[in-house]
Amino acid sequence: MNKFLELLQSRVGSPLLTGADISERYQHDWSSEPAGVPLAVVRPGSTDEVSAIMQLCSQHGQKVVVQGGLTGLCGGGNPRPRELALSLERLSGIEEIDIASMTMTVKAGTPLQVIQEAAAAKGFVFPLDLGARGTCNIGGNISTNAGGNQVLRFGMTRNLVLGLEAVLADGTVISSMNKMLKNNAGYDLKQLFIGTEGTLGIVTRAVLRLYPKALSRCSALVAVSEFPQVIELLHKVTRDFAGSLSAFEVMWNNYYHYITDNVNGIVSPFVERHPLYVLVELEGGDQERDQALFERSLGNALEQGMAADAVVASSQREREKFWKIRDGVAEIGPFLRESANFDVSVPISFMQPFLAAIERELAAKLPGARMLVFGHIADSNLHIVCYTGRREDIKGMYAIVYGTVGQFSGSVSAEHGIGVQKLNYLHYSRSPAELALMQTLKQALDPQQLLNSGRVLSNDLRAI
Ligand SMILES: Cc1cc2nc3c(=O)[nH]c(=O)nc-3n(C[C@H](O)[C@H](O)[C@H](O)COP(=O)(O)OP(=O)(O)OC[C@H]3O[C@@H](n4cnc5c(N)ncnc54)[C@H](O)[C@@H]3O)c2cc1C
C-alpha cells in the first residue's frame, strides 16, 4: 500500500479495498461506457469520514469518482484506473421520520426501496419510484435528479428534497438540512448538488418530503385517433381530476403493436387497431367517488371525440395488464438487438413535427430503420427505440436523434443525466453561455477538478 493509501486508511473505520479485493460491483454501472478498476475503494461510514477523505484527496490532488448503487445508465460512476472510488454504501440508514412535518431524514447510501418501505410503514408514501429501486441509493437519485413513474403528480427528485448535506471537494461540509417548504433565506444551496451528478459535491444526507398514501386508484386504456386529441384529452383529465391525475402514458402504434404482437402474454384489450393509446390513471381518497368521476370524464371524452375507444380496469389484474403493455419495453431486448434507446424531452407542442423529422432522417440515412415511441408526454418526456439490426448504425442514430432534439429546443437527457455517455451531445440542449456558467461553478467549487472529473462537462478524460 502506498503512502497516500496508508494515510487514507487511517482516516476511515472500514478497510480500504485494493487489488483483487475490488469486486466487479465497484467497476461499472449499468451502462456499457468504458470502465476500469479504480486505485482503491473507500467506504466512509459518516459525513466526517467523507470530509476527512476529501481533505486528504485535495492535499494530494487525488481524483475521486463517487458511487451510489451503480444503477446509473450514463457511465457517471464508472471508475478510471487512477481514480479513487468513494462508495456511499456504508453511509446508509434512516435517521428520523417526522410525522408532523411529513419528512424523512436519511443518509445518502440508503436504498430507495428501504425509504419507500419505511414511509409506507408509517402510512405515508415517498413517491419517487423507478425500476432500480432495490439497488439505487437516494444519494444517486438526488445526484441524477431521478424521475421515474410518478413525476406527473409529484415532480422529479428535486421536488422531493427539502434539505441536503454535501461535502465539497476540499472537505468542507455544507449542511442545509431544512425541513420547510418555504425558505427564501438567500441562495437555495441544495440545488447545487441535485442533478449535478457528483461534480460539485458529495451528497451525504437529505431531508425528504413524504405524502399521504392514496386510498383509491382508477385506470383505463384509451385509444385515440390523432395526436392533437391526445393533448385535448390530457387537458380534460387534468382539469376533471383536479390534481389527482397520476399517469398519462402515451404509446404510439409503432410501440403498442410491436409489444402486443410480439411479446408473449401481452395482449391488447381492443379489437381494432388505433394510431395512439393512452394509459390514464387517477389516484385519490375515495374509491367509489373517484371511480364515478373517472368513468364520467372518460365517457365525456368519448362523446366529444377526444377518444376513439376506452377500457376501464375493473380489477387490479386488469390494471396490471395495461401496465404490462406500457412496461413491455423491458421485454423487447431479445427481438431488437443493436437498438439505440433514447430518453429525451421536447415541448409537447413540438412532439409531432419532432417525431416526423426523426422518421424522415432515419429513412434518408439509415435504410430499413424502424422506431418505437412511447412517453410520459405530460412531462414532455419521450422514449424512443431506434433499430436497424446493424451495430454500425448506432452512432448514426445518436447523431440523428440528438441533433433533432437540438433543432426542436428539447433536452438530450430527460432522465439519467449526462455522465460520460452524452458529453458530446450536451451542447444540443445548452447554450455556450449556459455551458460556460457550469464550468464557472465547477471551477469555483472544485478548482482541482477532483470530483467526477470528465463527467457532465468536458474535460480531458485521458488525463485521469
Ligand atoms: C432497471 C433500471 C430502471 C431505471 N429507471 C429509471 C427511471 O425511471 N428514472 C431515472 O431517472 N433513472 C432510472 N434509472 C437510472 C438509475 O437508476 C438512476 O439514475 C439512479 O438515480 C442512480 O442511482 P444510483 O445510486 O445507482 O447512482 P450511481 O449509478 O451510483 O451514480 C449515478 C451518478 O450519481 C453520482 N453519485 C452517486 N451517489 C452520489 C452521492 N451520494 N453524491 C454525489 N454524487 C453521487 C455518481 O458519481 C454518478 O455520476 C434506471 C436504471 C435501471 C438499471
Side-chain angles (χ1 to χ4, degrees), residues 4 8 38-42 44 50 52-58 60-67 76-80 82-88 167-170 197-202 442 446 448-455 464:
F4 169 75
L8 188 62
L39 174 70
V41 180
V42 63
V50 177
I53 293 165
M54 288 317 302
Q55 280 175 39
L56 191 70
C57 288
S58 94
H60 289 255
Q62 174 61 50
K63 292 195 187 283
V64 172
V65 60
V66 189
Q67 298 186 335
N78 285 357
R80 305 269 153 181
R82 272 179 275 164
E83 285 181 322
L84 174 70
L86 188 153
S87 166
L88 276 302
V167 174
L168 303 184
D170 66 359
E197 301 178 54
T199 55
L200 300 183
I202 301 168
K442 175 73 178 167
D446 183 12
Q448 293 185 83
Q449 308 280 322
L450 299 182
L451 280 175
N452 281 5
S453 185
R455 282 85 175 173
I464 298 170

Side-chain angles (χ1 to χ4, degrees), residues 73-109:
L73 299 172
C74 298
N78 285 357
R80 305 269 153 181
R82 272 179 275 164
E83 285 181 322
L84 174 70
L86 188 153
S87 166
L88 276 302
E89 67 188 352
R90 291 185 58 252
L91 193 58
S92 174
I94 292 162
E95 293 183 354
E96 184 200 25
I97 296 181
D98 181 338
I99 305 267
S101 306
M102 296 213 291
T103 60
M104 188 189 292
T105 304
V106 296
K107 293 178 182 156

Side-chain angles (χ1 to χ4, degrees), residues 119-189:
K122 297 280 182 197
F124 291 109
V125 61
F126 178 61
L128 176 65
D129 190 33
L130 38 128
R133 65 183 76 75
T135 313
C136 64
N137 297 173
I138 192 66
N141 302 144
I142 292 170
S143 309
T144 57
N145 187 27
N149 301 334
Q150 307 199 66
V151 172
L152 170 58
R153 192 148 177 224
F154 299 100
M156 307 222 3
T157 302
R158 190 183 301 287
N159 297 62
L160 303 173
V161 177
L162 288 175
L164 193 137
E165 180 184 84
V167 174
L168 303 184
D170 66 359
T172 305
V173 178
I174 304 291
S175 196
S176 299
M177 296 294 278
N178 166 71
K179 280 188 175 180
M180 303 162 293
L181 192 53
K182 286 192 173 180
N183 183 350
N184 278 347
Y187 296 177
D188 187 359
L189 294 174

Side-chain angles (χ1 to χ4, degrees), residues 188-231:
D188 187 359
L189 294 174
K190 67 176 181 291
Q191 303 298 350
L192 288 171
F193 310 104
I194 303 178
T196 48
E197 301 178 54
T199 55
L200 300 183
I202 301 168
V203 176
T204 46
R205 293 162 71 224
V207 181
L208 308 174
R209 282 177 86 174
L210 302 179
Y211 288 83
K213 222 188 257 179
L215 302 175
S216 72
R217 194 167 171 202
C218 313
S219 316
L221 202 54
V222 183
V224 183
S225 304
E226 288 175 20
F227 190 72
Q229 292 165 347
V230 171
I231 299 176

Side-chain angles (χ1 to χ4, degrees), residues 11 16 22 44 49 91 116 145-146 161 183 205 240 256 275 280 292 294 297 320 351 394:
R11 301 199 178 190
L16 278 186
I22 302 177
E49 286 191 354
L91 193 58
Q116 291 174 335
N145 187 27
V161 177
N183 183 350
R205 293 162 71 224
D240 289 356
Y256 186 94
V280 183
F294 189 71
S297 174
E320 282 165 10
M351 276 182 186
I394 289 191

